[in-house]
Amino acid sequence: MASPSRMNPDAVQAVRALARASRVLERVSGELNLAHYRVLAAIGSGDERASRIAARLALGRPTVSAAVASLCQRGLLTRAHDAGDRRAAALALTLEGEALLDRVESEMVARIEDLCTRTPDGARVLESLRWLGAAIDEKHAERRAAREGRDR
């Protein structure tokens, strides 16, 4: 492993900034911790199964199961058996879950937009973050395809 002195200093600063940004977002979303936000956002984006959410978010299944149980208990999610696979449960946001997700994301967007106005080119920062998200999705798809290829 490279020592910090041999690493790209710009990359080190970027990693540290992303870590700090995640904490800023978590603080602004006081009603949800970041793990619960990520689960709600994944379900809001169309993921309905805990196993898919765990894989997409690179979280362990027990972590996702605990988050789902907590979010169901809070009335933010519903869990129904999948007609096609009785072992799996289909997850959906409740109206309260949708409202909370909208509220939290609005607060997060406002914070990110404020921070971006403090940079030399806020629009480029947002664009770069979208690119980073797309790269993460691409990497996830590659891993899933490789895993499915091994399982056959």
Side-chain angles (χ1 to χ4, degrees):
M1 181 168 181
S3 69
S5 61
R6 291 191 209 156
M7 285 189 271
N8 176 343
D10 289 338
V12 170
Q13 284 186 327
V15 166
R16 291 175 182 174
L18 283 170
R20 289 175 35 224
S22 69
R23 181 63 187 127
V24 166
L25 293 176
E26 187 166 43
R27 266 197 316 262
V28 80
S29 67
E31 297 177 79
L32 283 176
N33 66 42
L34 211 46
H36 286 187
Y37 163 74
R38 292 172 63 202
V39 170
L40 282 182
I43 294 166
S45 294
D47 283 327
E48 296 179 339
R49 288 191 173 180
S51 60
R52 287 188 198 134
I53 293 166
R56 180 174 182 210
L57 301 179
L59 295 171
R61 286 184 184 172
T63 301
V64 171
S65 292
V68 166
S70 175
L71 293 166
C72 285
Q73 186 175 26
R74 289 178 62 186
L76 303 173
L77 288 181
T78 60
R79 185 180 356 204
H81 286 289
D82 187 329
D85 182 353
R86 298 288 296 159
R87 296 170 297 161
L91 303 171
L93 298 176
T94 63
L95 291 177
E96 185 179 348
E98 287 178 19
L100 178 60
L101 181 60
D102 286 345
R103 191 168 54 251
V104 165
E105 284 186 327
S106 292
E107 294 166 356
M108 290 176 163
V109 166
R111 182 58 57 97
I112 286 294
E113 288 177 339
D114 174 60
L115 291 173
C116 286
T117 65
R118 299 166 188 268
T119 69
D121 190 346
R124 186 176 236 171
V125 172
L126 288 175
E127 181 179 43
S128 295
L129 289 170
R130 285 193 315 271
W131 290 342
L132 184 60
I136 291 167
D137 291 343
E138 182 180 317
K139 185 71 173 174
H140 168 70
E142 289 171 0
R143 283 190 190 142
R144 186 176 54 227
R147 192 171 42 252
E148 288 171 0
R150 284 192 308 266
D151 291 344
R152 291 182 185 169

